[in-house]
């Protein structure tokens, strides 16, 4: 019995570490915007959205890691239910908030002159302000942290709710349906909430997006997340297989049934 409890605890710790590490890194690297088309060697998409905005697939670098968070959410959901997802989601919000508080404090520290001097030039001889670059990169992330975390929590709660509603219909079968379905539903909300809060509701008037731009960029982001969620579905089955072997099939099935029974409500 003790061995099973230890395995269950170890499993949650590993999944929680994967979840937290990727969520925190996604927030930190999210300040870089990259061109998906250029990265893949294609021409810009030039999509005309709502008759006002012509958009390409220019995405935050955070989308590289968020799919890992989505998959981990579904695995935690499957084996630990609503309480497991809520626990790690709330902890993640606390730790990400703490990280950005520390970043804000650190950027206010007076830089050492020798550090500025040895980093004062680029390889091609141009002047370079290392302190300005450091602050610019990290504080950009802090500027959208409120929108990101609110969207994250709403998305996580919705993911849990939809996942277990679908599980009631499918039982233990059709993992792909409940995992992909819950991710697509939660990310539909997440894609628009973060943009609305960060670039419309809380943005200065000089940089505030219009509602049409929020919707247009949100659609682009969701298209990407939709495709990635479908493409990564096989990883869920691999993770499921490894966990079932680790816990033992009987204990694994019992853990999933307990998770399903305790996860019927939204909150």
């Amino acid at each position: 019995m003790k061995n099973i409890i230890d395995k269950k605890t170890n499993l949650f710790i590993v999944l929680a570490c994967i979840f937290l590490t990727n969520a925190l890194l996604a927030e930190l690297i999210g300040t870089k915007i990259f061109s998906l088309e250029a990265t893949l060697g294609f021409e810009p998409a030039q999509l005309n959205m709502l008759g006002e905005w012509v958009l390409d697939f220019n995405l935050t670098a955070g989308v590289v890691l968020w799919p890992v968070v989505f998959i981990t959410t579904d695995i935690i959901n499957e084996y630990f239910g609503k309480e497991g997802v809520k626990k790690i989601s709330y902890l993640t919000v606390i730790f990400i908030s703490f990280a950005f508080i520390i970043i804000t404090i650190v950027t206010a520290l007076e830089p050492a002159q020798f550090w500025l001097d040895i980093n004062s030039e680029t390889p091609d001889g141009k002047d370079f302000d290392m302190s300005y670059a450091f602050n610019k990169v990290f504080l950009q992330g802090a500027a959208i942290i409120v929108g990101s975390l609110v969207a994250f929590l709403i998305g996580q709660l919705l993911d849990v709710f939809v996942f277990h509603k679908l599980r009631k219909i499918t039982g233990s079968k059709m993992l792909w349906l409940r995992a992909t379905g819950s991710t697509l539903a939660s990310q539909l909300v997440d894609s628009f909430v973060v943009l609305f809060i960060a670039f419309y509701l809380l943005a200065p008037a000089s940089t505030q997006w219009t509602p049409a731009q929020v919707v247009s960029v949100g659609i682009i982001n969701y298209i990407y997340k939709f495709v990635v969620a479908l493409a990564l579905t096989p990883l869920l089955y691999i993770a499921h297989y490894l966990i079932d072997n680790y816990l033992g099939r009987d204990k694994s099935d019992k853990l999933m049934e307990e998770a399903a029974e305790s996860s019927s409500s939204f909150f």
Side-chain angles (χ1 to χ4, degrees), residues 144 146-155 186-201 214 218 225:
I144 63 171
V146 175
S148 180
L149 292 182
V150 170
F152 169 75
L153 277 180
I154 294 174
S186 64
Q187 291 314 302
L188 178 62
V189 174
D190 179 271
S191 296
F192 292 96
V193 170
V194 62
L195 296 174
F196 176 76
I197 294 176
F199 298 106
Y200 181 78
L201 188 63
V214 170
K225 292 174 181 177

Side-chain angles (χ1 to χ4, degrees), residues 8-247:
K8 178 182 176 181
T9 301
N10 290 338
L11 175 62
F12 186 79
I13 290 173
V14 170
L15 293 174
C17 288
I18 294 172
F19 184 100
L20 176 59
T21 299
N22 283 278
L24 179 56
L25 282 174
E27 293 287 354
L28 292 175
I29 67 175
T31 56
K32 179 173 181 176
I33 306 298
F34 74 98
S35 168
L36 181 62
E37 300 102 326
T39 300
L40 298 177
F42 299 133
E43 292 297 320
Q46 292 288 286
L47 299 177
N48 189 293
M49 307 296 292
L50 304 182
E52 184 176 356
W53 302 100
V54 177
L55 296 176
D56 303 321
F57 280 88
N58 296 321
L59 305 166
T60 169
V63 300
V64 174
L65 290 175
W66 278 118
V68 179
V69 178
F70 305 156
I71 289 175
T72 312
T73 295
D74 289 330
I75 296 171
I76 294 173
N77 216 346
E78 181 86 337
Y79 291 95
F80 298 94
K82 176 184 66 178
E83 291 306 315
V85 174
K86 284 173 60 178
K87 182 182 296 184
I88 188 56
S89 297
Y90 293 149
L91 285 173
T92 298
V93 168
I94 292 171
F95 291 140
I96 289 176
S97 300
F98 172 74
F100 278 97
I101 289 172
I102 298 302
I103 286 172
T104 302
I105 293 172
V106 168
T107 54
L109 300 176
E110 190 65 26
Q113 189 58 47
F114 85 89
W115 182 66
L116 295 175
D117 291 340
I118 63 176
N119 294 290
S120 60
E121 290 186 3
T122 62
D124 57 2
K126 295 180 180 179
D127 291 339
F128 184 74
D129 187 337
M130 178 61 110
S131 182
Y132 173 80
F134 181 93
N135 294 352
K136 188 70 174 176
V137 168
F138 282 109
L139 289 181
Q140 279 187 49
I144 63 171
I145 188 63
V146 175
S148 180
L149 292 182
V150 170
F152 169 75
L153 277 180
I154 294 174
Q156 289 297 101
L157 291 173
L158 182 59
D159 190 288
V160 172
F161 181 73
V162 174
F163 185 95
H164 287 287
K165 285 298 181 183
L166 290 173
R167 196 179 194 284
K168 281 189 174 181
I169 299 172
T170 64
S172 60
K173 300 178 180 179
M174 302 178 71
L175 171 62
W176 66 270
L177 178 61
R178 58 183 181 273
T180 305
S182 62
T183 296
L184 294 181
S186 64
Q187 291 314 302
L188 178 62
V189 174
D190 179 271
S191 296
F192 292 96
V193 170
V194 62
L195 296 174
F196 176 76
I197 294 176
F199 298 106
Y200 181 78
L201 188 63
L202 299 181
S206 59
T207 59
Q208 187 181 58
W209 291 6
T210 66
Q213 189 171 13
V214 170
V215 173
S216 297
V217 176
I219 291 172
I220 290 291
N221 287 342
Y222 185 66
I223 290 172
Y224 170 84
K225 292 174 181 177
F226 185 99
V227 172
V228 170
L230 293 177
L232 294 182
T233 300
L235 293 181
L236 286 168
Y237 284 91
I238 294 173
H240 211 290
Y241 173 79
L242 293 174
I243 292 171
D244 287 349
N245 282 344
Y246 174 68
L247 295 175

Side-chain angles (χ1 to χ4, degrees), residues 245-266:
N245 282 344
Y246 174 68
L247 295 175
R249 191 54 190 257
D250 290 343
K251 300 300 180 184
S252 176
D253 288 344
K254 181 179 179 181
L255 195 58
M256 287 188 286
E257 288 303 320
E258 291 174 351
E261 290 173 3
S262 63
S263 305
S264 58
S265 65
F266 184 79

